[in-house]
Amino acid sequence: MTPKKHFGTLHMAFLAASALLAWASLLIAALGYLPHFRPVEPAWPLLVCLGLGATARFLTVTIYRRIHIALDSAFYVATAFVFGAVAAAWLVILIFTVDCTVRYTKGRFVVLPNEVPLWQALIHIFHSGSVPALGLLLVSTLLNLDALYPVDDVIAVWLVPTFALAFLLIHYFLLGGTHWFQGATSRSLIKEFLFKVIGSEMSLTPLALAMVMGFVHQGLGLFFLLGATCLLFNWLF
């Protein structure tokens, strides 16, 4: 029998509020009410991005407690620069939510079946699936990313790493920070989680930069080739 796990009211409220904020922000942006975002233009290259990101998500490892990570941020960063922040956020929220749902059913999620009530499990799934999209939209707004499209190569050299670092800090703060509610110390989170994860993810930032430049100058073929190289690093990791 699976032992029961208790989450406090404040903890669940934080998870639910952040998930609702993420979904609301994405829907408002997708409907065109936030003009600083580029509208999503459906195109088959987005399916390539979806395939790359989804494949990377299933090449995950356990990094802290029951948190699984994949070195997939390079795909979302590159997609944001090439296709716009809203398109990238949709990819993130769809891939992460499906991934979290599958992991929950297989007993590999932060909460397990029968460990918590179903409504709490759903909140965890929607939170874990949506906070990366929220972080991506927030960073895109702060850096006014979509207004810079197409990004000049010289600007991209410093903007891509800056965007990636800011995105990862917000993403993993919201994801790993929930462990504060469970008694984890700040030192433990920073030393065992944030530094290790962000350092690993940032190692692929040069490939994200190359994907952006490759798409602008050579098209989808080079973009896909560099994306496949990112997947190889995920597999080795």
Side-chain angles (χ1 to χ4, degrees), residues 52-73:
L52 291 170
T55 303
R57 276 316 298 174
F58 286 97
L59 296 174
T60 59
V61 294
T62 303
I63 195 70
Y64 183 81
R65 298 190 175 183
R66 293 183 187 172
I67 292 180
H68 295 77
I69 71 157
L71 302 183
D72 56 348
S73 62

Side-chain angles (χ1 to χ4, degrees), residues 11 14-15 63-65 67 110 127-128 131 168-182 184-186 188-190 193-194 197:
H11 189 171
F14 172 79
L15 297 179
I63 195 70
Y64 183 81
R65 298 190 175 183
I67 292 180
V110 291
H127 170 266
S128 298
V131 291
L168 290 169
L169 285 171
I170 294 174
H171 172 198
Y172 286 115
F173 175 80
L174 292 174
L175 184 63
T178 61
H179 287 283
W180 274 312
F181 292 102
Q182 297 174 262
T185 63
S186 297
S188 172
L189 282 169
I190 293 172
F193 178 68
L194 287 178
V197 174

